[in-house]
Amino acid sequence: MEKLKSTTVVAIKHNGEVVIGADGQATLGNTVAKSTVNKIRKLQGGKIVTGFAGSTADAFTLLEKFEEKLGAFGNNMKRAAVELAKEWRTDRMLSKLEAMMIVADSQDILIISGTGDVIEPDMEIATIGSGSMYAQSAARALKKFAPQLTAEEMVRESLGIAADVCIYTNHNLVVEKVNG
């Protein structure tokens, strides 16, 4: 049986702001199952914002685990991310999960993968999902050639460009700013 999957997520830190956004498409095989999925979640009153790509059920499991780790490590996002990645890689049930996460606070953006990676991305741009390379290319160009834009404008435009070229990404966006 095919899994319900979600697609493109972008996070950008620019001029002191951190913004994360995602499209709303979820696919089942090569069919659009839903076009208004919310792949962004605010934690800690918006001080930490997460986004996920991959199997939706798997992503929610990881989100719950990440919240547990935040609680266990005093809301230290980096420590919680590392501990989640370690457990994800070594736990028999978790290691089968097919999803990735971006987590962001006012200082850092991290990508967490099931292979035990916690990546602090270059240029303060993180992307995951089917349209991630399109969105990343657009975001890098915007940071370099349109620095007058806000982080939110960059996220929206990057996702829009990805949606124009990636069949697994749509224009129904959810965008959230991290509260400092």
Side-chain angles (χ1 to χ4, degrees), residues 46 59 73 84 89 124 160 172-173:
F73 295 103
L84 173 62
R89 187 185 72 230
E124 299 178 316
N172 293 332
L173 308 181

Side-chain angles (χ1 to χ4, degrees), residues 21-32:
D23 75 302
Q25 185 165 306
T27 59
L28 188 58
N30 59 0
T31 303
V32 175

Side-chain angles (χ1 to χ4, degrees), residues 12-14 123-125 138-147 154:
I12 297 175
K13 182 176 181 182
H14 182 67
M123 294 184 67
E124 299 178 316
I125 298 168
R140 289 175 71 112
L142 290 168
K143 275 194 101 164
K144 185 173 182 177
F145 297 109
M154 290 179 181

Side-chain angles (χ1 to χ4, degrees), residues 25-95:
Q25 185 165 306
T27 59
L28 188 58
N30 59 0
T31 303
V32 175
K34 185 172 170 93
S35 63
T36 57
V37 175
N38 182 355
K39 303 170 197 170
I40 305 297
R41 298 289 184 269
K42 291 171 134 182
L43 307 174
Q44 309 297 320
K47 291 181 180 176
I48 297 174
V49 181
T50 67
F52 61 84
S55 170
T56 304
D58 292 355
F60 281 119
T61 300
L62 292 171
L63 182 61
E64 288 174 14
K65 285 286 187 187
F66 181 67
E67 285 184 285
E68 287 175 17
K69 299 296 182 191
L70 279 172
F73 295 103
N75 297 326
N76 181 325
M77 186 185 77
K78 278 189 174 180
R79 177 79 189 273
V82 168
E83 294 301 322
L84 173 62
K86 286 193 315 195
E87 184 176 351
W88 190 355
R89 187 185 72 230
T90 59
D91 182 271
R92 282 178 53 186
M93 191 270 301
L94 290 179
S95 67

